[in-house]
Amino acid sequence: MNVTKPVIGFSCGDINGIGIEIIIKALSDTRLHELCTPVVFASNKVINFYKKSIPDVNFSYQATRELDRFSPKQVTIFSCWEEEVAITPGQLNETGGQYAIKSLLAATEALKNKQIDALVTAPIHKKNVYSEAFPYTGHTPFLKAFFNVTDVAMLMTADNLKVALLTEHVPVGEVAKHITREAIISKLKIVNQSLKQDFGIDKPKIAVLGLNPHAGDEGLIGKEEEEIIKPAIKEAKQQHDVFCFGPYSSDAFFARGQYEKFDAVLAMYHDQGLIPFKSLAIGDEVNYTAGLPVIRTSPDHGTAFDIAGKGKADETSLRASIFAAIDIFRTRNGYAEARSNPMKRRSAALLAR
């Protein structure tokens, strides 16, 4: 394993979406090859199909069936399948989901076996991947199960804001029953540790949002804040050394810029966290799965079937996901080295003052 130039794997996402197009566009910038060794889990036939739709992009690669044959100066396509596949850009169908999962399974197996150092996942569509064979509502729950961890956190990151979710793809009507003291403490511990080891923040400060309007108004508008969220914050702070505060009323918290005083925010449900994140985030936005023993990032958008195959897709968020994976890889290595060497840890702490 190269501690300065990691091998970054890419799952191709839905083959009828924009995933392969944005991978081609991002990796056509050969300057990236100085920072990482890219390996795309797909097939050269699918790559060539989308390469034709963006003729102005100079994209070269080598294809292989061996995971120990990566070119340090060129993109490698690891062939997950050889058969001809019907590619229908913009269409939601079974084929798109089937081959998205083939790519994902091959990439995560390589990640588990340490044949790649980090994984960047292109978008899948939940409707055509969910089945008895793949009973997951997205990448995050799949990775949690695949790597057999108790819990993970979906952490959206940007230059000025990091937002984690307590509940992810849960219907709004069911959110309240998922708000438990144990769940809040678990997410806070994961986010706290991730901010330290993955982002290099020595003493993270985390804000926790309330569930109800005005954070319950001291129990007048819902009891969750008084009975669940506040006790969870207190326990996380006192027993688990998590520097956390709240619960805050979501509207005022973001409108008044309070988020600028914190290293991360824990939101209770999907839209409570992601609407302000996507409205206020500065710089490129990345979805990171905190709590895994491995590194996984992804762009903050979906399959975009409406523009698939037209050469219009913007690769900016995918490129940011690549840089984030590289940065986290380096930070984790530095964190692990510092923990194993008390003198280096002490020197780093002195320099940080």
Side-chain angles (χ1 to χ4, degrees), residues 97-283:
Q98 177 185 350
Y99 285 90
I101 297 308
K102 281 193 176 187
S103 170
L104 179 60
L105 291 175
T108 47
E109 193 65 38
L111 187 61
K112 183 179 180 180
N113 294 332
K114 298 184 179 179
Q115 293 163 308
I116 59 176
D117 297 308
L119 174 62
V120 178
T121 57
I124 58 176
H125 196 288
K126 296 170 184 61
K127 187 173 182 179
N128 69 352
V129 297
Y130 189 88
S131 66
E132 287 186 10
F134 190 85
Y136 308 104
T137 56
H139 286 109
T140 304
F142 162 70
L143 291 166
K144 173 185 171 183
F146 188 90
F147 288 99
N148 194 30
V149 294
T150 305
D151 197 10
V152 295
M154 180 177 173
L155 181 62
M156 305 299 295
T157 74
D159 292 346
N160 66 325
L161 181 60
K162 290 180 176 63
V163 175
L165 302 181
L166 182 71
T167 62
E168 295 157 13
H169 301 116
V170 174
V172 174
E174 298 178 15
V175 167
K177 68 182 182 183
H178 293 277
I179 309 297
T180 66
R181 181 181 57 82
E182 293 78 12
I184 294 168
I185 292 171
S186 176
K187 298 294 185 190
L188 284 171
K189 288 167 64 179
I190 289 170
V191 173
N192 184 60
Q193 180 62 23
S194 181
L195 291 172
K196 292 178 180 180
Q197 75 173 19
D198 299 329
F199 297 94
I201 301 170
D202 186 51
K203 185 68 174 179
K205 188 177 179 183
I206 305 170
V208 181
L209 302 181
L211 172 66
N212 298 295
H214 307 294
D217 229 351
E218 298 184 357
L220 294 176
I221 316 174
K223 304 294 184 182
E224 286 83 1
E225 285 77 11
E226 299 298 319
E227 297 178 356
I228 300 171
I229 302 175
K230 285 183 180 179
I233 292 170
K234 183 178 179 180
E235 182 176 334
K237 189 182 297 184
Q238 293 181 349
Q239 298 185 25
H240 303 286
D241 197 30
V242 179
F243 201 41
C244 53
F245 302 87
Y248 295 97
S249 177
S250 180
D251 55 350
F253 180 83
F254 289 108
R256 295 172 185 170
Q258 288 177 279
Y259 64 91
E260 295 174 351
K261 301 175 183 178
F262 296 90
D263 297 301
V265 181
L266 178 63
M268 294 296 105
Y269 57 95
H270 188 279
D271 285 11
Q272 183 191 48
L274 265 59
I275 289 174
F277 176 81
K278 293 189 176 186
S279 301
L280 299 170
I282 295 173

